[in-house]
Amino acid sequence: ASAQIGVTGLAVMGRNLARNFARNGYTVAVHNRTPRRTRDMIQEFGQEGAFVPAESPAAFVAALERPRRLLIMVKAGPATDEVIEEFAPLLAAGDMIIDGGNAHFADTRRRERALRERGIHFVGTGVSGGEEGALHGPSVMPGGSAESYAVLGPMLERISAHVDGEPCCTHIGTDGAGHFVKMVHNGIEYADMQLIAEAYHLLREVGGRTPAEIAATFRRWNEGRLDSYLIEITAEVLAHTDPGTGKPFVDIVQDAAEQKGTGRWTVQTALDLGSPVTAIAQATFARVASARTELRAAYRPLPGGVRQKLSPDEAERFTRDVEQALYASKVIAYDQGWTMIRDAAAEYGWDIDLGAVAKIWRGGCIIRAAFLDRIRAAHAANPDLVSLLAEAGFAAEITEAQPAWRAVVATAAQHGIPVPAFSAALASYDTLRSARLPAALIQGQRDFFGAHTYRRTDREGSFHTQWAEPGRPEVRTDT
Ligand code: 2AM
């Protein structure tokens, strides 16, 4: 037994994580259901570090130092349960099974509970950054017990990305907290991508810019407060010309967005938690709608907005306004994600450091951005921060951006350019800042048809109006 960690499941993510551990000086046992894959990996990368290839589960487990640390990198779902059932009987009390796949946090909670009863730590761990991140330093979001983190944490921190010398890895919370936070990361990623896509669409259709010009604009924005991996790669994609046709790459790609489902999980879970993640939801629905070919064909003949050509000066100004709208919408989308994490922490009893979540997303993951350091700092300055908009710096930026943000959404509506995420973010802002909402009327409607009762602004208690009686008398229902 000489390996500090073992990795089973050697498809590209598992293989790259194993290589990352080995390159950081750890001895890594490697195993795969089909031994051929293990042999291929050792042949190709064996000289990168200390690997112990194992062809059987028994040999794999025997290669691990105790307490054993066994990282599973197989397809999320039934395969994970199968692999757990294969290895758990071979383990001893205090050993750790780490699931680095994209599991649903509810599955992680179930698995953690079942393994805890057998004395085994189950550490559901979010890993973001794709294949490159896995190899060179991902953002790592481990859940599970504090006890397991004490043993495992230093290793995960070492292989994670680092920003300002700090690892992009922290103990998120118990049981499924790591996979939950990874799910919300992906939800935020959907919103960020959609917002950037809407900005592109506006600059092209309203601003009259070419994809190459928009790429240049995004590169400029990437030097300011929007500096992020997603803006950077968007500029690359927009600047790319299809070699076969000489057309902009974006024009030869079918406009039906796909998804692997983490955005959908985020929205489904948000509804259960009562978290208003409207920008994330709109981003998810925008992908779904884009792929509805028949519906799009049915709507296609219908009239759109009025297109007006902007003068060069107007186009300049519009570009600046879109930057403001994009930034403001992004703040709202991220705030929605953090609200959801806070709600889940209360629901599931997780002690999540909301600033630390921002800190470990500064590097390694897809939404990595300078912006996340601002979120980290806001939470560090005020651990009880309820919303980013309650922080003076963000509040000032939104205040400044607000007129341009409204103008952009209004222009989009006039021109008939869909901006579901921009509009949802703005509506969320206006909803949450309104002194009075028409929710009072909704309560009246509910009381009218279903006697659902309402609360008054001027007195304690629950009330019902007897709508069918003459004079519509009010009765108190909670006494
Ligand atoms: P394989 O090479 O034997 O197919 C991604 O599919 C990775 O997960 C692969 O390494 C694959 O192993 C592994 N995997 C998928 N389903 C599995 C299962 N039910 N049991 C063990 N490994 C599995």
Side-chain angles (χ1 to χ4, degrees), residues 9-11 32-34 37 73-75 79 82-83 86:
L10 299 176
N32 193 70
R33 175 179 59 184
T34 314
R37 230 198 249 274
M73 291 302 298
V74 302
K75 208 161 140 25
E82 280 171 38
V83 175
E86 181 161 32

Side-chain angles (χ1 to χ4, degrees), residues 234-250:
T234 304
E236 297 277 329
V237 173
L238 286 174
H240 181 54
T241 302
D242 176 51
T245 60
K247 290 183 184 161
F249 170 78
V250 272

